[in-house]
């Protein structure tokens, strides 16, 4: 067990089940009269060669009882666990009574396994009054200790649906490596506990084989192994480690996973496989504008045969609730707030004709109460599914619940939050927390509790319901019925009553820990916080911040309806520019008025400008928007013409002091004093000035030569956008998305950047005697000047953040300012 001690948390090694049942027991794939029982004989779970087992078959006995003490055993038998299947055991127990609980256990080499509990479904077509189950997905081992499963194991559930990413692959696609990964994941005592308590229904996603694979097409090279060999290895290990039916046993790289599961007449589950038969992702995958081959009707996630099977099953169903359990988000999600539709091409958005065929079929055939269950995206969603997502008035035909991950992180959370305003069919979103979803279903209503844990890395982390939704029989679309544990409310303009999107609510604990939430397009906010006392601060560009104390009580939500007053023109510390990309802290200086806010570093360092960040802009946003800026290298002063590599990160102006010259109107003024580290005797002083009613901050940089000889200097600024959909603009050259830096001769006096949030950043110069240089993710200006001894050259520009408005061209607004 030395390998265990080296690679497992101490508590996990101590809590392994007794050998050879170290990985516990499980049951799955229940129907009205049968269920599959599973275990695997493993003496050393992390011994990828053989699990510490001898290279010969081992006899395993099993028994099923009506009671936990096994006084009433209803079936028993013996099977053989062989080395060719990693000594895994699959027992198909038939002839059970419908709709009741059973207990089971195994025995091998004189050792008895832990006792598992399982149940059968109600009889087909029979009336069933109530069903309570959970669904989960995405349990990356490195993401945490699975406290979500600990919470799930304490619930009263009929079964669990797992929607994929049960493991996360490595670059090694060998069978022994996939076996090692499955064994490693089951060393979690919480995962073993939930398997022993409830039967599971499974489907896979991509990480069971390789991220974003499509049918027989890999997303890229891994270990040089032929992909179908890797797929066969992944499928084999998946079958060996889960309670799957004999008909699901893989045949090389093929394995049947789509099937139907009935819960009496109350619900029919169509469990899909959207990986094995799908067309390759369009346009090279990724997050891109829908165009061209995306709309090819022949492209599919399910394959033609599975699609026909699904539609036929929906048409024939007599169930009250028709559930589609599958992997990826079905609702459209447009990451671009402009006229383009930028989507994740690995999801249903990359296959819109296939999605339309399903949703149109549901609408045309009036399928009873369709509910889609999805995973994959590591975040909680509640979506209205429509036949036309581009028309908010179109009919809602189904409801989609997307469960957050058990442990996998969501690095795209900020991008989704920024795009919510363009997707009104998304009724709820939260990407901060890990967890799962509990569904409580009767003939009249479907309740969904979105469960979260505060810290996926803490095995004892408490769990809460962040929100609860209801779908009523015969009424597509979910309705929020409970605020969950936390803070809900609406942020508005105090004078006009207008709802304020992109206001940021910061919840601060007495210990200084911070939780952050942002209002949606309707000004609604959800800020989860466990019971306790907090300080709440609401910040919105163009408005005065508001703070207040609040106490949260378990099981109750706090209603927070606040009106904000328009901001006065001022400069000082103690404020922030809200946004997912914000870098500046409250000790940095913010200039703000009713239209724009700019944070200038007074001490915060950016790693890309290490030692040179002071005096430079860190955050910037227009009213109604959040910060999407990484930083501005404003200004630089180089002895040579900046070129790649690292042209944009010129470490050539170091400010030694930042002072607030005028804190309040009529103008707010901040000055940064420093020197060029590349050009001797050159002092650099930048003065930032903000006037009321202007969507820009004027920045004048004075370069003074204190030496005795003339100095030739390259001066300018670099603009680095860090939000979603980043792209640059240079007048006369349109929108620039290239990943290669090149020079551009501007036909106007500005350079700009924008993203998916319909907010444009710009530097508008007093004259156009400069050259632009850069790429889609950053852009800079370059001009050569000669400064005589004792003389000063002043570089004047306006630092702009402004809403794009109705313009198709996101940079047209810069030409009008």
């Amino acid at each position: 067990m030395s390998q265990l001690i080296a690679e497992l948390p101490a508590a996990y090694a101590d809590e392994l089940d007794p050998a050879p049942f170290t990985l516990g027991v499980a049951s799955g794939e229940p129907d009205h009269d049968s269920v599959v029982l599973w275990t695997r004989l493993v003496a050393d779970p992390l011994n990828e060669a053989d699990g510490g087992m001898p290279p010969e078959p081992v006899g395993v006995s099993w028994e099923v009882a009506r009671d936990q003490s096994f006084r009433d055993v209803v079936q028993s038998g013996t099977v053989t666990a062989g080395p060719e299947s990693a000594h895994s055991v699959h027992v198909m127990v038939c002839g059970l009574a419908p709709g009741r609980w059973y207990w089971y256990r195994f025995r091998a080499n004189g050792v008895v396994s832990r006792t598992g509990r399982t149940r059968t479904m109600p009889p087909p077509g029979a009336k069933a009054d109530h069903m309570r189950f959970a669904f989960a997905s995405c349990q990356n081992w490195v993401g945490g200790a699975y406290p979500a499963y600990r919470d799930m194991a304490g619930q009263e559930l009929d079964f669990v649906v797992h929607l994929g990413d049960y493991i996360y692959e490595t670059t090694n696609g060998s069978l022994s490596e996939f076996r090692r990964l499955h064994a490693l994941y089951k060393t979690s005592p919480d995962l073993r506990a939930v398997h022993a308590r409830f039967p599971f229904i499974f489907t896979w996603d991509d990480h069971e084989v390789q991220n974003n694979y499509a049918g027989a097409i890999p997303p890229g090279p891994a270990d040089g192994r032929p992909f179908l060999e890797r797929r066969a290895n992944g499928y084999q290990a998946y079958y060996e480690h889960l309670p799957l039916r004999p008909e699901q046993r893989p045949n090389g790289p093929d394995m049947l996973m789509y099937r139907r599961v009935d819960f009496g007449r109350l619900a029919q589950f169509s469990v899909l496989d959207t990986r094995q038969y799908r067309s390759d992702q369009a346009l090279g995958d990724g997050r891109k504008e829908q165009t061209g081959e995306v709309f090819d009707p022949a492209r599919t996630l399910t394959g033609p045969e599975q699609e026909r099977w699904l539609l036929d099953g929906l048409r024939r169903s007599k169930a009250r609730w028709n559930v589609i359990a599958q992997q990826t988000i079905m609702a459209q999600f447009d990451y671009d707030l402009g006229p383009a539709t930028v989507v994740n091409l690995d999801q249903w958005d990359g296959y819109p004709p296939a999605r339309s065929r399903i949703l149109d079929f549901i609408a045309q055939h009036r399928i009873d109460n369709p509910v889609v269950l999805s995973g994959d995206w590591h975040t909680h969603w509640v979506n209205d599914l429509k036949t036309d997502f581009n028309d908010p008035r179109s009919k809602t035909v189904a409801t989609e619940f997307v469960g957050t991950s058990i442990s996998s992180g969501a690095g795209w959370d900020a991008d989704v939050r920024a795009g919510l305003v363009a997707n009104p069919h998304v009724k709820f979103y939260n990407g901060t927390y890990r967890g799962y979803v509990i569904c409580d279903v009767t003939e009249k209503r479907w309740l969904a509790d979105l469960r979260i844990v505060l810290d996926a890395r803490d095995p004892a982390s408490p769990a809460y319901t962040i929100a609860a939704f209801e779908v009523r029989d015969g009424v597509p679309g979910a309705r929020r019925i409970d605020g969950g544990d936390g803070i809900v409310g609406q942020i508005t303009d105090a004078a006009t009553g207008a709802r304020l999107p992109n206001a940021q609510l910061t919840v601060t604990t007495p210990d200084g820990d911070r939780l952050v939430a942002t209002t949606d397009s309707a000004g609604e906010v959800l800020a989860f916080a466990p019971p306790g006392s907090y300080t709440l601060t609401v910040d919105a560009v163009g408005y005065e911040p508001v703070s207040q104390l609040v106490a949260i009580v378990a099981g109750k939500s706090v209603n927070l309806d606040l009106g904000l007053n328009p901001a006065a023109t001022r400069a000082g510390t103690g404020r922030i520019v809200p946004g997912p990309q914000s870098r500046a802290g409250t000790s940095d200086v913010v200039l703000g008025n009713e239209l724009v806010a700019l944070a200038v570093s007074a001490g915060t360092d950016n790693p890309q400008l290490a030692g040179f960040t002071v005096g430079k802009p860190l955050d910037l946003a227009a009213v109604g928007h959040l910060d999407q800026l990484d930083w501005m290298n404003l200004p630089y002063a180089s002895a040579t013409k900046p070129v790649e590599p690292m042209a944009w990160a010129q470490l050539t102006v170091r400010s030694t002091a930042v002072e607030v010259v005028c804190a309040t109107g009529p103008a707010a003024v901040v000055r940064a004093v420093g020197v060029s580290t590349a050009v001797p005797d050159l002092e650099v002083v930048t003065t930032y000035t903000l006037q009321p009613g202007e969507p820009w901050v004027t920045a004048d940089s004075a370069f003074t030569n204190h030496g005795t000889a003339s100095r030739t200097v390259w001066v300018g600024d670099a603009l680095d956008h860090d939000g979603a959909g980043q792209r640059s603009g240079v007048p006369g050259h349109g929108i620039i998305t290239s990943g290669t830096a090149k020079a551009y001769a501007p036909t106007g006096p500005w350079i700009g950047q924008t993203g998916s949030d319909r907010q444009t950043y710009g530097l508008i110069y007093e004259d156009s005697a400069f050259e632009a240089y850069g790429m889609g993710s950053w852009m800079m200006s370059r001009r050569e000047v000669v400064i005589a001894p004792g003389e000063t050259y002043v570089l004047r520009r306006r630092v702009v953040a402004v809403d794009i408005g109705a313009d198709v061209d996101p940079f047209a607004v810069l030409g009008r300012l």
Side-chain angles (χ1 to χ4, degrees):
M1 300 290 284
S2 59
Q3 191 173 9
L4 278 178
I5 296 171
E7 297 193 29
L8 287 179
Y12 283 21
D14 292 342
E15 294 180 17
L16 285 172
D17 284 27
F21 300 107
T22 53
L23 302 184
V25 301
S27 68
E29 302 304 316
D31 67 10
H32 67 286
D33 66 353
S34 66
V35 70
V36 178
L37 307 182
W38 172 93
T39 191
R40 179 189 167 197
L41 307 184
V42 186
D44 183 354
L46 299 190
N47 182 333
E48 63 182 83
D50 54 21
M53 296 296 294
E56 62 253 2
V58 177
V60 181
S61 62
W62 57 271
E63 54 186 347
V64 177
R66 292 189 179 94
D67 64 306
Q68 191 171 3
S69 60
F70 287 84
R71 289 189 297 268
D72 187 5
V73 174
V74 295
Q75 290 196 42
S76 61
T78 301
V79 295
T80 299
E84 69 283 355
S85 60
H87 290 95
S88 61
V89 174
H90 294 76
V91 177
M92 184 74 181
V93 185
C94 300
L96 299 174
R100 70 155 298 150
W101 288 97
Y102 291 93
W103 284 260
Y104 64 94
R105 63 189 178 188
F106 299 91
R107 184 188 302 269
N109 298 334
V111 179
V112 179
S113 73
R114 76 159 68 189
T115 296
R117 188 182 72 149
T118 191
R119 67 157 294 161
T120 53
M121 299 299 202
K127 180 179 174 60
D129 295 326
H130 183 231
M131 171 180 72
R132 194 168 194 263
F133 71 96
F135 70 89
S137 63
C138 306
Q139 53 197 50
N140 196 339
W141 178 260
V142 301
Y146 298 168
Y149 276 138
R150 177 192 50 76
D151 180 68
M152 187 188 295
Q155 302 290 335
E156 288 299 330
L157 305 171
D158 293 309
F159 56 91
V160 175
V161 178
H162 198 286
L163 297 176
D165 292 346
Y166 192 92
I167 63 164
Y168 279 67
E169 82 284 12
T170 66
T171 56
N172 181 355
S174 68
L175 177 58
S176 62
E177 174 64 2
F178 281 117
R179 286 171 169 170
R180 184 191 72 84
L181 288 169
H182 277 279
L184 174 65
Y185 279 50
K186 280 200 172 66
T187 60
S188 163
D190 298 314
L191 178 56
R192 295 200 311 278
V194 78
H195 269 303
R197 186 161 168 77
F198 311 114
F200 270 57
I201 298 168
F202 298 95
T203 190
W204 52 35
D205 194 15
D206 50 351
H207 287 288
E208 288 87 354
V209 176
Q210 190 174 0
N211 183 39
N212 281 20
Y213 82 92
I217 303 170
D223 57 0
R225 189 184 311 274
F227 178 70
L228 287 182
E229 179 184 330
R230 165 183 272 268
R231 198 174 91 171
N233 292 337
Y235 287 5
Q236 176 68 22
Y238 186 81
Y239 179 81
E240 289 173 349
H241 288 82
L242 296 174
L244 298 170
R245 287 178 172 260
E247 56 266 33
Q248 295 173 285
R249 183 189 300 273
N251 178 17
D254 302 315
M255 184 171 169
L256 180 64
M257 285 298 292
Y258 66 88
R259 64 229 183 267
R260 290 192 184 93
V261 179
D262 292 316
F263 194 92
R265 200 170 63 239
L266 182 61
Q268 175 180 280
F269 289 77
S270 298
V271 183
L272 303 188
D273 174 358
T274 65
R275 282 293 163 189
Q276 189 173 184
Y277 314 105
R278 70 157 62 190
S279 307
D280 195 13
Q281 290 89 347
L283 309 176
D285 205 356
R287 209 187 296 169
K288 297 173 184 173
E289 183 176 353
Q290 284 179 318
T291 186
E293 64 175 319
V294 170
F295 298 104
D296 180 354
R299 299 183 65 258
T300 172
L301 256 76
T302 62
E305 181 178 341
Q306 184 181 185
E307 183 177 307
R308 288 192 297 270
W309 168 88
L310 170 64
L311 299 182
D312 183 64
L314 291 173
R315 180 176 58 84
R316 294 173 179 272
S317 173
K318 304 299 183 183
R320 181 62 58 92
W321 299 90
N322 286 282
V323 187
I324 301 175
Q326 52 93 55
Q327 294 78 3
T328 64
I329 294 177
M330 184 171 282
Q332 177 176 292
F333 191 81
D334 181 5
Y335 287 85
D336 193 304
L337 305 191
T341 302
V342 174
V343 300
N344 182 342
L345 295 170
D346 184 59
Q347 297 173 342
W348 283 90
D349 273 337
Y351 307 77
R355 175 176 60 199
S356 292
R357 288 193 294 269
I358 295 172
L359 295 180
D360 289 347
F361 183 93
I362 287 173
Q364 292 166 7
H365 291 266
R366 299 182 180 179
I367 303 303
D368 287 339
N369 298 322
V371 175
V372 176
L373 308 180
S374 309
D376 179 52
W377 213 226
H378 308 178
T379 45
H380 273 316
W381 306 59
V382 179
N383 302 322
D384 284 346
L385 296 181
K386 296 176 173 288
T387 53
D388 184 358
F389 287 102
N390 295 318
D391 180 5
R393 298 167 298 179
S394 68
K395 185 179 180 180
T396 297
V397 299
T399 299
E400 180 178 31
F401 295 106
V402 183
T404 189
S405 60
I406 289 292
S407 62
S408 308
W412 45 84
D413 175 45
D415 294 348
V416 175
R417 285 192 281 120
L420 287 172
V421 67
N423 298 272
H425 54 276
V426 178
K427 299 305 179 184
F428 177 87
Y429 170 80
N430 185 275
T432 303
Y433 301 100
R434 315 282 69 82
Y436 66 101
V437 180
I438 294 176
C439 299
D440 193 292
V441 185
T442 67
E443 289 187 340
K444 296 298 183 182
R445 55 97 182 113
W446 180 298
L447 299 181
D449 287 345
L450 279 54
R451 297 288 287 173
I452 64 166
V453 292
L454 293 184
D455 184 358
R457 296 184 179 277
D458 178 3
S461 178
Y464 301 90
T465 297
I466 194 171
F469 281 81
E470 176 188 67
V471 182
R472 302 296 296 180
D473 174 34
V475 185
R479 179 175 63 92
R480 181 85 180 263
I481 60 170
D482 182 75
D485 298 289
I487 303 158
V488 296
Q490 191 175 88
I491 309 300
T492 60
D493 183 306
T496 67
R499 299 177 177 185
L500 301 182
N502 292 325
Q504 181 171 294
L505 180 69
T506 304
V507 183
T508 307
T509 70
D511 295 332
D513 294 334
R514 299 167 71 248
L515 307 169
V516 177
T518 307
T519 57
D520 60 17
S521 58
E524 300 285 347
V525 65
L526 166 67
F528 174 82
S533 298
Y534 302 92
T535 300
L536 273 60
T537 303
V538 180
D539 292 279
V541 175
Y543 291 88
E544 296 291 342
V546 173
S547 293
Q548 66 180 55
L549 299 176
V550 65
I552 296 177
V553 179
K556 295 183 179 180
S557 60
V558 174
N559 188 273
L560 178 75
D561 291 326
L562 287 177
L564 304 186
N565 294 308
T569 302
R570 67 176 68 199
T573 59
R575 297 193 176 190
I576 62 167
V577 179
Q581 310 298 339
S582 296
R583 301 289 189 271
T586 54
S587 60
D588 297 305
V589 176
V590 172
L591 299 95
N593 63 10
E594 73 278 21
L595 295 177
V596 70
L598 173 72
V600 177
S601 172
T604 297
D605 222 17
N606 187 292
Q608 293 177 316
L609 298 175
F612 288 78
T613 314
V614 172
K616 301 180 185 298
L618 280 175
D619 305 327
L620 176 64
V623 62
H625 290 275
L626 300 169
D627 167 62
Q628 299 289 340
L629 186 72
D630 194 359
W631 42 259
M632 288 186 189
N633 195 352
L634 181 158
Y636 68 83
S638 175
T640 58
K641 186 176 184 177
V643 293
E644 282 284 76
M646 302 294 283
W648 41 276
Q650 284 282 309
L651 303 181
T652 54
V653 171
R654 176 187 279 126
S655 293
T656 55
V658 175
E659 58 178 337
V660 176
V661 178
C662 184
T664 58
V669 182
V670 173
R671 181 182 295 128
V673 179
V675 297
S676 170
T677 58
V679 180
D681 306 316
L682 189 66
E683 180 188 51
V684 184
V685 178
T686 298
T687 303
Y688 299 95
T689 304
L690 176 62
Q691 303 278 357
E694 293 182 345
W696 59 72
V697 176
T698 301
D700 291 349
S701 293
F703 302 86
T704 302
N705 181 1
H706 291 291
T708 58
S710 293
R711 300 297 186 189
T712 299
V713 188
W714 285 89
V715 298
D717 315 291
L719 178 63
D720 185 24
H721 188 284
D722 214 26
Q726 56 191 11
R727 50 203 189 272
S728 300
V730 176
H733 300 275
I735 296 174
I736 297 166
T737 59
S738 169
T740 303
K742 61 178 292 187
Y744 300 89
T747 60
W750 56 265
I751 58 174
Q753 288 204 288
T754 191
S756 63
D757 67 339
R758 295 197 62 76
Q759 175 180 217
T760 290
Y761 291 143
L763 292 173
I764 304 176
Y765 291 93
E766 189 176 60
D767 65 75
S768 57
F770 66 91
E771 180 181 63
Y773 180 69
M775 61 178 72
S777 59
W778 59 268
M779 187 58 62
M780 68 188 300
S781 60
R782 304 186 298 196
R783 69 181 78 207
E784 186 181 34
V785 297
V786 178
I787 307 175
E791 296 295 320
T792 298
Y793 171 78
V794 179
L795 178 61
R796 292 189 171 93
R797 67 293 221 194
R798 289 174 287 164
V799 182
V800 175
V802 64
D803 188 90
I804 294 170
D807 291 325
V808 174
D809 178 0
F811 299 107
V813 64
L814 297 181
R816 297 194 296 267
L817 293 178

